[in-house]
Amino acid sequence: MKEWMFDKSLRVLERMRASVYSMEDYQYIDSETEGKNGANRAWGLYAFLLHPDQRNEEAIVNLFIEEIKSRENDDWGGTSDAVKIGAYLVSLYQKMEYIPLFIRAKNSNFDMHCAFDRDYILSNGVEKTLSYVNNNDLEWKDDFMYLYNGPDNTLTWNEEDIERWKGNVGKCMNKWYIEPVLGDYGFFHFFLCIGDTDTASEIVSQWEKQVKEWKEEQWVMFLEFYEDLDQKDKIVKAQEALLSFDLENKQRIDIFHSLGDCYLSIEDLEKSWSRLYEGLICLEKMDNWYEESCVNNYTQVIVKLVLKINDMDNVISKEAAQWLQTNFEKLDINSSETLTSSIKVFDLIGDKGNKKLSRRRLDLVKLHNKKWKLKNKKSELKFQIEEIDDKLKKLKKKVKSLESKLK
């Protein structure tokens, strides 16, 4: 695995050194190009991490800047493995001129502000950095001091803390990316997040080869990997294997539902209903089973199954529709998709009463959803106002500072 990864990363670096290399393939441009460019950028930074002798300072810094732009413009915010690798690599150059990049990364979005290590602003050393900041006229000084002191001015730093942190970051880089354990989800997730499913699949394939005994834990890991890769045949294989272990009733209910859904997606309708039926038997053993959250999931697959067959003379359709008719009134269904499909099923079987009930419930769910969206919008606007107020305060400070200097 290590040789395969090293070979691929070397090819990435060769491509970056080639005459046809263009930074446009690595830049953050917009959301449409970010899928491909973000993957290129992540692979570039990862390749530089793996090959210290091949590192190019200018290229690394440029890649880091583009990854920061991605964090600033991503609709979902969040952090990324690429920004962590980029920050680490840039910090190794020990240059004061890169401190503003760490500040910018820290402030790129809410999640980054929470998760990105503020220690990076002192990665050149506490005393050395403070001396530089205090003896130079820097546009980013106020932002630096805010991170240095913390929001309540209570943070304290010393050289030992920073050296210890730098050592820990280096160990993490080695553990997570350079010498990862194949079964480690984080390493797999890194490539999955950048859309490189080929590499992610290869990691899982290599992990499978080294598994000596397939116990419940290994099958659970297998399932998690292939659920993320959305490979239905592998998901089915893992779940069928897990049923051979001594599982709690709730676990069996969840697996039977998932199997029913998977078999339906590959159009094995008989197996789909068989596994759903076994799950319903387990479900109905529970007290007040119809109040369980998984009931909505089961109902959703059952109505899909009936509509897929679209023939009420079919034995599976009859049995599935019968269960739905018998239990629908007491089921706690809060999905507009499920209720919309239920209306179609009841129309198909001529059940006017449950069809009417489905419509009333659907109207109720739509109103609840509308209320939730408005509340969410209100919270979002409040957060944006707070962000603007914070920026105004910082800008006023900078204006006052500039005015005092002009005097």
Side-chain angles (χ1 to χ4, degrees), residues 45-91:
L45 287 166
Y46 180 59
F48 282 127
L49 179 67
L50 287 185
H51 302 281
D53 59 321
Q54 305 272 343
R55 288 173 188 167
N56 178 297
E57 182 178 351
E58 183 182 1
I60 289 171
V61 171
N62 285 335
L63 290 173
F64 182 47
I65 290 171
E66 295 305 317
E67 188 59 28
I68 294 172
K69 289 180 185 176
S70 175
R71 297 302 90 217
E72 290 171 334
N73 291 281
D74 192 296
D75 290 338
W76 299 100
T79 63
S80 71
D81 291 89
V83 81
K84 294 174 189 174
I85 295 171
Y88 171 71
L89 291 174
V90 170
S91 73

Side-chain angles (χ1 to χ4, degrees), residues 47 58 62 69 110 116 171 223 251-252 260 265 269 275 280 290 292 295 300 312 317 334 360 374 377 383 385 387:
E58 183 182 1
N62 285 335
K69 289 180 185 176
F110 178 77
F116 186 80
K171 288 176 183 177
L223 177 60
Q251 289 176 291
R252 299 184 77 82
S265 69
L269 307 184
R275 286 316 197 190
L280 292 172
Y290 42 85
E292 293 290 323
V295 166
Q300 189 174 53
M312 290 317 300
S317 287
N334 52 20
R360 294 292 177 266
L374 288 171
K377 187 67 176 177
F383 177 72
I385 289 170
E387 270 192 327

Side-chain angles (χ1 to χ4, degrees), residues 279-309:
L280 292 172
I281 292 172
C282 294
L283 179 62
E284 291 175 12
K285 291 177 182 177
M286 300 175 71
D287 294 333
N288 299 320
W289 63 268
Y290 42 85
E291 294 178 359
E292 293 290 323
S293 58
C294 60
V295 166
N296 188 76
N297 298 332
Y298 267 88
T299 307
Q300 189 174 53
V301 182
I302 288 170
V303 293
K304 283 182 182 177
L305 178 63
V306 174
L307 292 174
K308 180 72 177 177
I309 297 171

Side-chain angles (χ1 to χ4, degrees), residues 5-6 9 41-51 85 89 176-180 187 190-191:
M5 194 65 76
F6 263 54
S9 56
R41 201 164 52 241
W43 255 111
L45 287 166
Y46 180 59
F48 282 127
L49 179 67
L50 287 185
H51 302 281
I85 295 171
L89 291 174
W176 294 342
Y177 307 110
I178 301 173
E179 296 283 350
F187 188 54
F190 168 43
F191 293 101

Side-chain angles (χ1 to χ4, degrees), residues 84-105:
K84 294 174 189 174
I85 295 171
Y88 171 71
L89 291 174
V90 170
S91 73
L92 297 179
Y93 292 106
Q94 297 283 282
K95 291 186 176 180
M96 297 297 177
E97 65 196 79
Y98 296 146
I99 294 175
L101 294 182
F102 300 133
I103 295 171
R104 184 177 170 187

